[in-house]
Amino acid sequence: MSFAWRAAGMNYLQYSSIAARALRRVVKPELRSEVAKREGVAIKFAKWDNGKASASNPVPVIETRAKAEN
């Protein structure tokens, strides 16, 4: 079974990013503030030594193209 996004040469993350952006654009105006709250992504980086994580460092947020367009 072949997925359309795979046949188009995309990986799943690219596909889901495009789908999320399309969904955000068609949300009703009264619900956009709720959707905007979930738009941010937080990532932390931790180096592991001998099975234990050192202090984790948050990765700076990168402005997405969708935010730049709005």
Side-chain angles (χ1 to χ4, degrees):
M1 181 169 147
S2 179
F3 297 102
W5 50 268
R6 175 113 24 217
M10 291 189 284
N11 63 35
Y12 183 76
L13 290 177
Q14 292 169 325
Y15 162 75
S16 64
S17 176
I18 292 169
R21 192 173 342 136
L23 181 63
R24 280 188 227 109
R25 288 183 178 177
V26 298
V27 172
K28 292 180 181 179
E30 58 269 12
L31 298 175
R32 284 193 183 158
S33 62
E34 289 295 318
V35 173
K37 291 177 188 176
R38 292 184 227 144
E39 192 171 334
V41 175
I43 300 173
K44 290 186 179 181
F45 172 78
K47 184 176 179 181
W48 288 74
D49 288 322
N50 298 324
K52 295 184 181 181
S54 61
S56 61
N57 301 321
V59 176
V61 175
I62 300 171
E63 186 173 309
T64 62
R65 183 172 29 169
K67 282 185 178 181
E69 289 174 359
N70 294 333

